[in-house]
Amino acid sequence: MTLAKGSAFCVFLAILSAVVALISLRTGAVPISWREMVGGGDSVGSMVFQTMRVPRLLLGFLCGGALGLCGAAMQGLFRNPLADPALVGVSGGAALGAVAAIVLGGPFLSHSIYILPAAAFFGALAAAILVHVIATRGVRVDVPTLLLAGIAINAFAGAGIGWMIYGATDSQLRDFTFWSLGSLAGAGWDATLGCLPFVVVAAGLLAFRARALNALALGESNAWHLGVSIEGVKHAVLAATAFAVGAVTAFTGTIGFIGLVAPHLVRLAVGADHRLVLPGSFIIGGCLLCAADVIARTARAPAEIPVGIVVASLGAPFFLGLLLREKRARA
Amino acid sequence: MRKILCLLLLSTTLHAATPLRVVTVGGAVTETAFALGSGDVLVGVDTSSTFPEMARALPQVGYQRALSAEGIASLRPDLVIVSANAGPPTALAHLAALKIPVLRLVAGDSLDGATTRVLQMGEALGREGEATKLVEKIASEVGARVPLAAHSPRVLFVMSLGQGSPMVAGRETAAAAMLELVGAQNAGNAIQGYKQFSREALVLLDPEIVVTTSRTLAANGGEANLAKLLPGLEITAAGRSGRLIVMDDLFLLGFGPRIGEAAQELATKLNEPSRRAER
């Protein structure tokens, strides 16, 4: 990596996020004037801006960013570009927690908007801890066991979800379906501020692990010989993923694909150096989700499309296009 | 003179309090607004609002459990009336924060629930007189339905949301409540909610009549296919006599302003003799 390339990439990221943020803040069902955006006041426009647009942009950025960052870290840990946070059971656990809250929560659910996210978060955390503990011998995390334990815990969560769905009423079923499509519609300051500490902790855990992940790409024993604390980085990646992805999934439902595609885009642009891939995946992931959300809330306004649908239906063809271009370039 | 002025002022403020831009969320909610003569003040409805035809032309605010506060706010409503099912709670809280009044109707698939909702809406829309009349009309319609024959028939209610896998209505469903209202026995009462049924259990229940919704029938490609999706039905009393009743979803299960008509129609159809016996 040359220094010039790195700084050019950083400038690009800064411009991209500014553009996405501006578009996101400017578009929506309610027309909002520049004065209402800047000046505040209590007109409907400025209230919508303060209580919905801004927290929604921030939640989208945090959520997409966390998914991108953890996706990049997981891919580094597994040394496989197909890895994503769902692999260690986080999404499955969150979904089980959410469906349990929807089906069993009943009357309690209407008392507090935090019950569902809390259940989803603890579901995610429990699944991730279980996978982590199963794969750990002494202080050593065995990566192949991690993968298998993740598959087993996901299957177990799937069975639990099946039981819950079996006992669910029609409307509970639909609630869960919509939850699993993912949406930022519930965004307010409480959801945004609820996610923030977990994403900050995750970013902190991964902040100084880029070199270790680079070394890990050479294989565990080579990384060890390079003097890298390979067990440290494994624990950090798992903890960060459980925290950040668990928290954002709890508030937005399952949003797939960003964890996979954001790191891939960054690697296509600047190569595999984790010092750029980790922060780059955070910002690209955040921008992707916010851009998708603009479409989700304007395409069929005043109704709204779950953002997960938009991410997948635009992201998948785009990703395929990139793969085909890469293939042609290689041939 | 001053008194008259005061009265005039009072009447204008009262008039101003009648909402002029209303969003309704829920099929029965929209239906009730039209039934009360407030159809012209509606500026938005949800996806379940399919009746009357005019409701389909209004702007859509989406599925009633996945509402968007900004989308609804963009219609600049001065009242939002939602069914008890509406959500998510954050969207409703956001509307309240924007000082848009939200009326949440009472829950309950029952005659009582239906009439309470009509009265709630009448008050909110400034149509108290119409609401009282509508409640009286519902009560007289329900009262005037044909009584069922001496023994109440065992009725199986089937519904599928998409294609295939029809579900049987158990206890605590709108279908069970409707059957109870007309005095029929719900054959699925052993289960709770809508569930798939084993074919042997179906044979054991031996329903005499099958009731389904027109959407279920359309999704499954007509009567012949529906029978195929319910293996075992052919050896029950309903299968042998071919007694199948099809009614519109919202009409039969909406517990809205047409509940009286729906009860009458269901009771009449339940009393019709079997088709094969006629031939």
Side-chain angles (χ1 to χ4, degrees), chain A residues 94-110 115-117 119-120 157-179, chain B residues 65 172 192-195:
Chain A
L96 180 56
V99 73
I102 289 169
V103 174
L104 307 176
F108 299 106
L109 213 53
S110 52
I115 290 178
L116 202 165
I161 293 167
W163 280 109
M164 291 294 162
I165 285 177
Y166 180 70
T169 67
D170 194 36
S171 57
Q172 290 168 343
L173 208 58
R174 286 200 173 212
D175 278 354
F176 179 62
T177 311
F178 269 84
W179 183 87
Chain B
R65 296 181 77 82
E172 292 164 43
Q192 188 195 5
Y194 293 94
K195 298 245 158 59

Side-chain angles (χ1 to χ4, degrees), chain A residues 76-326:
Chain A
L77 176 67
F78 282 100
R79 287 185 282 144
N80 186 328
L82 290 179
D84 81 350
L87 222 55
V88 286
V90 182
S91 316
L96 180 56
V99 73
I102 289 169
V103 174
L104 307 176
F108 299 106
L109 213 53
S110 52
H111 284 307
S112 163
I113 59 162
Y114 291 109
I115 290 178
L116 202 165
F121 178 67
F122 286 116
L125 212 56
I129 290 174
L130 214 56
V131 170
H132 196 158
V133 167
I134 292 170
T136 307
R137 198 174 301 145
V139 289
R140 209 182 104 71
V141 178
D142 185 42
V143 173
T145 311
L146 195 64
L147 191 65
L148 291 174
I151 291 171
I153 295 297
N154 270 330
F156 191 70
I161 293 167
W163 280 109
M164 291 294 162
I165 285 177
Y166 180 70
T169 67
D170 194 36
S171 57
Q172 290 168 343
L173 208 58
R174 286 200 173 212
D175 278 354
F176 179 62
T177 311
F178 269 84
W179 183 87
S180 58
L181 291 175
S183 172
L184 297 174
W189 282 110
D190 31 23
T192 306
L193 297 177
C195 279
L196 184 66
F198 297 101
V199 179
V200 168
V201 166
L205 279 169
L206 295 175
F208 303 104
R209 304 286 182 180
R211 278 169 200 280
L213 283 170
N214 282 346
L216 204 57
L218 304 169
E220 281 198 24
S221 61
N222 285 334
W224 188 79
H225 285 295
L226 285 170
V228 166
S229 155
I230 43 176
E231 299 313 320
V233 69
K234 287 178 190 168
H235 291 298
V237 169
L238 290 173
T241 303
F243 260 15
V245 177
V248 299
T249 306
F251 281 103
T252 64
T254 42
I255 297 173
F257 208 64
I258 285 181
L260 188 69
V261 80
H264 200 83
L265 289 176
V266 177
R267 278 193 301 263
L268 275 180
V270 293
D273 185 342
H274 282 91
R275 283 174 296 173
L276 279 181
V277 171
L278 290 183
S281 300
F282 188 97
I283 293 174
I284 294 280
C287 290
L288 280 178
L289 188 57
C290 289
D293 186 51
V294 169
I295 298 172
R297 62 194 158 84
T298 54
R300 301 201 56 195
E304 198 167 297
I305 311 169
V307 72
I309 302 178
V310 180
V311 168
S313 35
L314 293 181
F318 179 66
F319 190 57
L320 274 178
L322 276 179
L323 288 181
L324 290 177
R325 219 186 64 175
E326 215 180 337

